[in-house]
Amino acid sequence: MTLPAPRTQRIASLISTENPRPLYVSTLSMALVLLVLLYFCFLHNGYKCFRTDHLTQIPLLYKWADPGLFPRDWFLTTNAHFDLRKFHLYLLAGGQMLFGLPVGILLSYCAIMLGTFAAWVAISRRLFGRAAPAIAAIVLAIMVSDHEIGSNHVIEDSLIPRMEAYLLAWWSFFVLLRPRRGAGDWLGGLAGGLFMAGAGYFHPAIAIQFGLALAVWLIVDPERRDWIKSFVFLAAMAVPLLGSLSRATGGLVQQSALTAAEQIQLAAFVRHPHHMIPHAWGGMWLVFAGILALFIISWSSSRKTCPGTRALGRLAAVMIGLLALATVFIELIPLRPIILFQPYRLAVMLYMTMFLVMGRYIMELVLTGGYMNRVCAVLIAAAPQGWPLVIPVAIVETLFHGRRQCRLPLGWKWMLVPIVIALVFAGSIDHEFWQTGLWVLLLPAAVAFAERKRLGERPRLVCGILGGAAVAGALAISAFFWLPLQRWIDSDKPKPRRKAATLALKYQFNPIPIIAIERLGAWAAAHTERDALFIVPPAREPEGFRIWAKRSVWFEIKFFPYKSSGFEEWRNRYLAARGIPDIKDPARAADVARVLHDKGGAHVLDDYRALTVPQILALARRALASKYEGPGPIYFVSPTLYNDPALELLFQDADRNRAKIDRNRNYLYRLRL
């Protein structure tokens, strides 16, 4: 399509890498855009407090603030990693003192997210001269949530230590991108290394992985090759981190009674297959393949004309090479330190590097193409939501790109057929994705509306729409602190009760106990002794008893020791919770093999539910005789209803259908030994 000269000049100024004038006129406008993106992040991904990794982090804060809590909790008294998470705990404690824990966590989350968005915008401006590619990249990052390889999300839905580390790591990358000022730009390396060291104080593994990738990139990139800068960067990163690095590596190489193969079996296959074992990630690899294909198309379209594209392409190649090397030492030649180090945390940086290049390509399609190019742009932005969409979008974009480059005789109507087929197929296997696919079909209509109203030439109208969306989003989010969700959840009417609970599960700005195990924990906090010990269902779902009850728990599968010396005790408790009290019993050898090969503990709740009363009492006596727990009141939580005088029923969940995630009724027993 041939554009009029004035409009062509305007579009050229928006995507040019030479014009220093930013895409948005003022910092206030950019802040408004980032707030709208944060609101869209909440809307699409949700927000969780007292869930996910909070289940392991908040009890650390409780224990840190009140050492008298959890007196008989084996994990929190002997294997909790306070030293590696103390700076994150400082942040949580500061927010708690100023605003209260839930509000403090939310404000910290918002500040870190906005800081991360700002870092991506700054990187985009330095590489491409404009913020538009970063805005499109942020949309891609929001869309890919829960589909990343390694299950380390580019954008998290709760405040966890990785977020602070990624924030500082991205600003370190921005500093390293400063224009070269002669050979040996040691000042840029020094500043970048100090930012990366700050990231290491929150999460040493992330600083090591991304720092190594950046150091290699500084050496292999012919346009930025600088040995002195790379050396200064590594030194400035490592020296402040010597203490943290020694603790991080010391935990991995610490002596244990288990062999290296047994430690890998427990940590990788039983506890963390979603983080450590690449062959267990299934459809995530299909999503990654589709994104990689779109990245290659985006990179090839501007690699000859844009230095920023070339730089990010080389950085992505370095990270892919490092991950491929790590995969060799995970799958083919298993090395315990490499596996426990979880090298696929680097994939978060890889995704965002690819998204920045794809963001430039998306904005180029939007600003310079016709109607179909704009449709392709919005479909690329929405594609990472799942493999049934990203694969056909990658195929269609490959055809379109080939048509643009080679003038292939393909009609655009036929190219949309694979997308429609993929959406229908996705609807037949995944109802939630089908709902996503329906709104994706509305994107071409939205593009047509924008074309007709010429929104690209009416910046004031666009800013007004964004401002209204930001205000509406702020009001909607604040309403979650005031709406009586607890009263709705406790309503006698089933339909409002389920809808309120489902809504609160996704948008948990004001944490309240929703699922059965949480409500049981809240009851236990008010009706049981402070030094009570609880044996609870060890499965990942449902979980959350410890954070609500503030009571000692004998074992939960999510609480895994960082130090290798705790692996054997964790394994013994895991087996005992599944009805195998003695691993050396030859009669149970087949059961031991079955349990230790249960990937992710998928069937742990089935074995726990099947425990007999003698097994439960033997488990309790074992806990009372342990040096970690000792004598005291002991309780048992189970989805099974027992009718035995040794188990005194104290509390039961009143309604198993209060939320979609509730699958079991839970009962709380006092054990009479």
Side-chain angles (χ1 to χ4, degrees):
M1 182 178 72
T2 302
L3 300 174
R7 191 177 180 192
T8 303
Q9 294 174 1
R10 175 178 297 181
I11 291 173
S13 69
L14 289 173
I15 64 171
S16 171
T17 61
E18 299 177 357
N19 191 333
R21 186 169 65 87
L23 175 62
Y24 291 90
V25 180
S26 67
T27 304
L28 181 61
S29 298
M30 178 52 63
L32 182 63
V33 171
L34 296 183
L35 285 173
V36 172
L37 289 171
L38 180 62
Y39 166 59
F40 177 58
C41 178
F42 282 134
L43 182 67
H44 186 271
N45 296 351
Y47 173 80
K48 295 180 177 63
C49 187
F50 286 24
R51 292 190 182 282
T52 63
D53 283 3
H54 282 190
L55 300 178
T56 59
Q57 303 299 326
I58 301 299
L60 290 178
L61 180 64
Y62 289 158
K63 180 71 174 176
W64 193 38
D66 184 359
L69 277 178
F70 310 107
R72 302 165 68 199
D73 195 296
W74 161 74
F75 181 85
L76 292 178
T77 55
T78 62
N79 284 276
H81 35 275
F82 291 97
D83 52 346
L84 293 176
R85 296 292 179 261
K86 63 180 178 181
F87 290 96
H88 179 68
L89 296 178
Y90 287 149
L91 180 66
L92 294 181
Q96 182 180 19
M97 287 189 296
L98 293 175
F99 308 103
L101 189 56
V103 178
I105 291 176
L106 176 61
L107 293 179
S108 299
Y109 175 87
C110 292
I112 292 172
M113 289 300 302
L114 291 174
T116 306
F117 291 171
W120 293 336
V121 169
I123 292 170
S124 177
R125 281 178 168 167
R126 182 154 287 184
L127 288 172
F128 304 123
R130 293 292 170 266
I135 295 172
I138 292 171
V139 174
L140 287 165
I142 294 172
M143 291 297 182
V144 82
S145 181
D146 288 335
H147 298 287
E148 301 95 330
I149 54 175
S151 296
N152 295 296
H153 308 313
V154 181
I155 293 180
E156 300 284 352
D157 58 4
S158 60
L159 180 64
I160 59 177
R162 291 196 297 267
M163 291 181 60
E164 298 101 326
Y166 286 132
L167 167 65
L168 294 171
W170 282 115
W171 281 109
S172 172
F173 180 42
F174 168 74
V175 172
L176 291 177
L177 289 173
R178 58 176 292 186
R180 295 186 64 174
R181 301 175 182 179
D185 182 16
W186 63 270
L187 187 59
L190 176 63
L194 292 177
F195 269 106
M196 195 63 73
Y201 281 116
F202 287 99
H203 205 298
I206 289 174
I208 296 171
Q209 292 173 22
F210 197 39
L212 178 62
L214 289 180
V216 174
W217 171 70
L218 287 173
I219 295 173
V220 302
D221 189 342
E223 298 180 21
R224 299 177 183 272
R225 183 170 294 148
D226 194 331
W227 288 87
I228 296 177
K229 186 175 183 177
S230 177
F231 175 78
V232 172
F233 169 73
L234 286 176
M237 177 188 75
V239 171
L241 280 179
L242 289 178
S244 296
L245 293 178
S246 63
R247 288 191 295 269
T249 56
L252 297 179
V253 300
Q254 198 174 43
Q255 293 297 320
S256 172
L258 304 182
T259 65
E262 290 173 328
Q263 293 181 47
I264 292 173
Q265 183 75 25
L266 287 178
F269 288 90
V270 176
R271 175 59 186 92
H272 297 100
H274 54 296
H275 287 318
M276 297 185 180
I277 305 300
H279 72 256
W281 299 337
M284 295 179 184
W285 283 113
L286 293 175
V287 176
F288 178 78
I291 292 173
L292 183 61
L294 293 172
F295 163 72
I296 293 173
I297 293 172
S298 305
W299 171 80
S300 64
S301 69
S302 60
R303 63 184 176 86
K304 294 182 179 180
T305 59
C306 180
T309 298
R310 292 195 296 271
L312 291 176
R314 294 184 182 109
L315 178 59
V318 167
M319 290 189 284
I320 290 174
L322 291 175
L323 290 176
L325 182 63
T327 304
V328 172
F329 293 107
I330 294 174
E331 298 285 5
L332 302 179
I333 311 173
L335 292 180
R336 179 176 60 94
I338 298 296
I339 295 175
L340 300 184
F341 195 54
Q342 298 185 32
Y344 270 86
R345 291 190 180 103
L346 185 60
V348 170
M349 302 298 181
L350 173 60
Y351 275 109
M352 204 59 209
T353 302
M354 295 192 294
F355 288 161
L356 285 169
V357 176
M358 293 167 60
R360 187 192 186 281
Y361 182 65
I362 288 171
M363 298 311 299
E364 187 176 358
L365 289 177
V366 169
L367 296 172
T368 63
Y371 171 73
M372 279 311 303
N373 281 348
R374 290 183 172 90
V375 170
C376 286
V378 294
L379 287 176
I380 291 173
Q385 294 179 95
W387 68 263
L389 184 58
V390 70
I391 295 297
V393 168
I395 295 172
V396 170
E397 183 54 34
T398 302
L399 296 175
F400 267 103
H401 185 69
R403 183 189 181 193
R404 286 190 292 265
Q405 298 295 320
C406 307
R407 301 184 182 278
L408 297 177
L410 296 172
W412 64 266
K413 293 182 180 179
W414 292 103
M415 296 181 187
L416 292 179
V417 171
I419 296 178
V420 176
I421 294 176
L423 291 173
V424 173
F425 172 70
S428 66
I429 60 175
D430 190 338
H431 177 68
E432 183 177 354
F433 186 87
W434 177 239
Q435 294 174 334
T436 303
L438 287 178
W439 77 260
V440 169
L441 289 175
L442 299 177
L443 291 177
V447 174
F449 173 79
E451 286 277 292
R452 183 173 181 179
K453 299 298 183 180
R454 302 175 72 86
L455 294 182
E457 299 180 1
R458 303 171 70 181
R460 292 185 179 180
L461 176 59
V462 173
C463 288
I465 294 174
L466 293 178
V471 172
L475 293 175
I477 290 173
S478 63
F480 279 100
F481 287 99
W482 304 106
L483 289 178
L485 284 179
Q486 182 70 62
R487 184 169 56 189
W488 292 351
I489 292 173
D490 292 331
S491 169
D492 293 332
K493 298 179 180 179
K495 186 174 291 188
R497 180 175 61 214
R498 291 174 187 161
K499 289 184 177 180
T502 303
L503 185 69
L505 279 171
K506 183 168 184 178
Y507 305 105
Q508 198 172 15
F509 297 99
N510 187 23
I512 53 177
I514 300 171
I515 63 176
I517 196 72
E518 295 173 345
R519 294 190 296 272
L520 192 149
W523 184 91
H527 297 88
T528 61
E529 303 88 340
R530 183 181 171 91
D531 63 339
L533 175 66
F534 286 81
I535 301 174
V536 302
R540 286 191 178 88
E541 295 290 351
E543 59 188 0
F545 178 87
R546 185 190 265 107
I547 199 172
W548 288 101
K550 296 184 180 180
R551 297 291 185 267
S552 301
V553 171
W554 182 72
F555 174 79
E556 275 187 308
I557 194 172
K558 190 176 183 68
F559 288 73
F560 193 84
Y562 176 75
K563 298 178 180 179
S564 301
S565 57
F567 284 15
E568 183 181 16
E569 181 66 22
W570 190 92
R571 181 198 64 181
N572 294 337
R573 291 174 182 246
Y574 173 70
L575 292 174
R578 301 192 67 163
I580 306 174
D582 185 5
I583 190 175
K584 298 180 181 179
D585 185 357
R588 304 298 301 275
D591 291 332
V592 170
R594 173 184 62 84
V595 167
L596 293 181
H597 286 82
D598 183 15
K599 190 173 294 183
H603 301 93
V604 62
L605 191 58
D606 296 334
D607 290 340
Y608 182 83
R609 185 188 292 114
L611 291 176
T612 62
V613 173
Q615 287 177 314
I616 295 170
L617 298 179
L619 195 62
R621 294 189 183 96
R622 170 180 176 166
L624 296 177
S626 170
K627 64 179 180 180
Y628 301 108
E629 288 87 12
I634 186 168
Y635 297 84
F636 182 74
V637 178
S638 174
T640 303
L641 178 61
Y642 294 94
N643 185 14
D644 191 283
L647 278 70
E648 178 188 357
L649 180 62
L650 298 180
F651 179 81
Q652 62 178 331
D653 176 51
D655 183 2
R656 73 176 69 182
N657 297 318
R658 196 164 290 174
K660 290 182 178 179
I661 199 171
D662 267 319
R663 300 185 180 95
N664 300 289
R665 183 184 297 268
N666 280 279
Y667 303 91
L668 173 62
Y669 303 92
R670 189 201 310 271
L671 298 182
R672 297 175 176 175
L673 300 176

